[in-house]
Amino acid sequence: MEGKVIVVTSGKGGVGKTTATSSIGAALALEGKRVAIVDMDIGLRNLDVVMGLENRIVFNIVDVVQGRCKISQAAIRDRRIENLFLIPASQSDNKDVLTTSGVERVAKQLKKEFDYVIMDSPAGIEKGFENSIVGASEAVVICTPDVSAVRDADRIIGLLYSKGLTPRLVVNRIEPDRVERGEMLSYEDVLEVLSIDLIGLVPMDEQVLISS
């Protein structure tokens, strides 16, 4: 049976998408699933730092798509979780270096080798976003409860629907005290605007900031 490709995306940068991606991947791997997380943020690359694997990179997703190495050569096994692998982004290329057909081909190969393939999409709606969603069958949108993030998420959700994907929502960095004081949107406010299925509410945690 083939694995699933899930894209994790957001309209706005800085909403915790990369942290959420690594956490979802780790949780699935701890359930015994074989998981590959693919950093699609070409030119920037930070998922390797979040996962503590920055010193072990030899090949990256651009090398795989362009045929310079095999998936097994680029996939770095996590130090702590046996079934978790990272395929890092390239820091030296730009977002235009990948073709959607090339990424789709590699996504099909990854589905044969892993139970779950999680694509960490760059923020925004440019070529990097298009490449991240091309092989996906499911989409998760990460959004914080502030007006600019909700507005950008709404745009992303429309694009996902237009590509045949049904997005689901994780509201990140909720601060109940600020919501109560009217300084922050509630998750109900976010849901009212975005009108998609909610799958997770994540409270603000200073320990995550400290760890990063």
Side-chain angles (χ1 to χ4, degrees), residues 126-144:
E126 298 171 353
K127 186 70 178 291
F129 169 76
E130 293 283 338
N131 287 336
S132 300
I133 67 172
V134 68
S137 57
E138 296 186 26
V140 176
V141 175
I142 310 296
C143 182
T144 50

Side-chain angles (χ1 to χ4, degrees), residues 84-104:
L84 183 62
F85 295 80
L86 167 69
I87 300 178
S90 166
Q91 253 182 326
S92 57
D93 293 294
N94 62 49
K95 288 180 171 63
D96 297 325
V97 74
L98 295 179
T99 62
T100 50
S101 60
V103 175
E104 188 171 25

Side-chain angles (χ1 to χ4, degrees), residues 37-39 45 48 57 59-62 74-76 86-90:
I37 301 176
V38 184
D39 190 346
R45 193 174 80 191
D48 56 301
I57 295 172
F59 296 108
N60 57 62
I61 186 60
V62 173
I76 307 165
L86 167 69
I87 300 178
S90 166

Side-chain angles (χ1 to χ4, degrees), residues 137-165:
S137 57
E138 296 186 26
V140 176
V141 175
I142 310 296
C143 182
T144 50
D146 58 88
V147 173
S148 60
V150 173
R151 182 183 295 167
D152 290 350
D154 193 38
R155 173 82 170 119
I156 285 290
I157 288 164
L159 290 171
L160 290 167
Y161 275 125
S162 74
K163 300 292 183 181
L165 290 166

Side-chain angles (χ1 to χ4, degrees), residues 135-192:
S137 57
E138 296 186 26
V140 176
V141 175
I142 310 296
C143 182
T144 50
D146 58 88
V147 173
S148 60
V150 173
R151 182 183 295 167
D152 290 350
D154 193 38
R155 173 82 170 119
I156 285 290
I157 288 164
L159 290 171
L160 290 167
Y161 275 125
S162 74
K163 300 292 183 181
L165 290 166
T166 302
R168 293 182 290 174
L169 179 68
V170 172
V171 183
N172 197 21
R173 293 184 185 159
I174 299 169
E175 299 180 58
D177 290 346
R178 291 186 63 198
V179 172
E180 209 168 288
R181 293 196 299 267
E183 298 171 1
M184 177 180 278
L185 297 176
S186 68
Y187 79 88
E188 292 97 340
D189 295 330
V190 177
L191 273 176
E192 188 174 342

Side-chain angles (χ1 to χ4, degrees), residues 2-68:
E2 282 193 336
K4 287 183 179 178
V5 179
I6 303 169
V7 61
V8 179
T9 187
S10 66
K12 185 176 179 290
V15 298
K17 176 177 52 59
T18 296
T19 305
T21 301
S22 60
S23 299
I24 292 167
L28 289 168
L30 287 169
E31 291 289 322
K33 306 299 183 184
R34 186 172 163 85
V35 181
I37 301 176
V38 184
D39 190 346
M40 295 297 292
D41 203 353
I42 309 302
L44 293 176
R45 193 174 80 191
N46 55 25
L47 192 50
D48 56 301
V49 176
V50 170
M51 295 178 68
L53 300 173
E54 66 272 19
N55 296 325
R56 294 172 57 192
I57 295 172
V58 178
F59 296 108
N60 57 62
I61 186 60
V62 173
D63 294 318
V64 177
V65 173
Q66 296 189 346
R68 292 194 289 266

